[in-house]
Amino acid sequence: MTATISLPPTAEADDRAFSSSSLRLSLAPTGPAPALLDGAWWPRSRDLESELPALTAVLDPLWGRITRVTVNPVHWPVVPRKVPVAGHVVKVGWFLAEQDPHELLLLSYRTGRWNLLVVPPQTTPVSAAWLMAAASDPLGTSTASRLMEEAARLRTVSETDRTVEAVWDSEGGHEARDPAARPRIPTVTAALPQQPMAR
């Protein structure tokens, strides 16, 4: 299930399909074999206190009440101990060595545990779309960090291709593709001096 879920702050905002408070979330469909990741979340900031309430508001009805969240503090400047959400409090913990720095672990009391790739807020929409689709693949076997590395590699390849294309264009590459636009190179035939034949 891939979803961009809109959570308007007021009733007057209901007519807007996607507001600035839209939750950017992609969840893997439930399958026979569990994937390494259960989806991806693309928060708008690295402020857990302001971002977690919208996430849990969507996940509570789907997965059961989220009671605990853990992160790796490498990418989170502040890790609060508790975050008040609709009707309850979510405890927040952190693990440095034990948890992937690009992953959010969610626990629901007596229901289960889920791992979400956290797409960095500053990610371009194209990279974010690729990451969210890859993390939501029910047959996915990549960790969150591995997906981030692959996205960086794809971005580098794309940027290199654009650079090569720009150089090609600046050197007349597109014009050279059209045979009618190609300048004609005159054919030069030079007479070779005659050499005496061996007897």
Side-chain angles (χ1 to χ4, degrees):
M1 168 178 127
T2 300
T4 299
I5 302 163
S6 179
L7 296 174
T10 63
E12 294 80 36
D14 284 339
D15 57 342
R16 293 185 301 191
F18 299 99
S19 69
S20 61
S21 62
S22 295
L23 181 66
R24 301 178 297 188
L25 178 66
S26 176
L27 301 176
T30 53
L36 287 180
L37 294 168
D38 299 292
W41 174 46
W42 187 16
R44 297 184 187 281
S45 73
R46 289 290 187 176
D47 181 356
L48 277 173
E49 202 157 359
S50 67
E51 297 287 346
L52 278 180
L55 179 64
T56 59
V58 170
L59 295 180
D60 280 357
L62 297 173
W63 291 346
R65 179 175 280 194
I66 303 299
T67 55
R68 187 166 182 79
V69 170
T70 65
V71 297
N72 183 313
V74 168
H75 297 295
W76 299 98
V78 175
V79 180
R81 292 182 49 132
K82 295 178 182 178
V83 174
V85 299
H88 67 289
V89 172
V90 173
K91 294 179 182 177
V92 182
W94 60 269
F95 296 99
L96 195 56
E98 299 88 351
Q99 187 165 345
D100 188 311
H102 299 286
E103 192 173 286
L104 179 80
L105 170 69
L106 301 113
L107 298 164
S108 179
Y109 184 65
R110 293 189 182 173
T111 306
R113 140 194 183 148
W114 299 271
N115 299 324
L116 295 179
L117 164 73
V118 178
V119 178
Q122 70 279 7
T123 305
T124 65
V126 171
S127 287
W130 184 88
L131 284 164
M132 293 179 87
S136 301
D137 182 353
L139 303 175
T141 57
S142 291
T143 64
S145 284
R146 180 72 190 113
L147 287 178
M148 292 299 294
E149 290 166 8
E150 183 64 14
R153 188 190 69 74
L154 291 172
R155 196 168 43 251
T156 301
V157 167
S158 177
E159 289 168 3
T160 301
D161 288 349
R162 279 196 300 270
T163 301
V164 168
E165 185 73 20
V167 169
W168 174 259
D169 289 347
S170 70
E171 294 176 353
H174 279 291
E175 293 172 2
R177 287 186 202 162
D178 181 4
R182 230 181 261 154
R184 300 263 179 218
I185 300 173
T187 306
V188 177
T189 307
L192 295 173
Q194 289 195 354
Q195 303 214 354
M197 293 185 150
R199 291 185 188 196

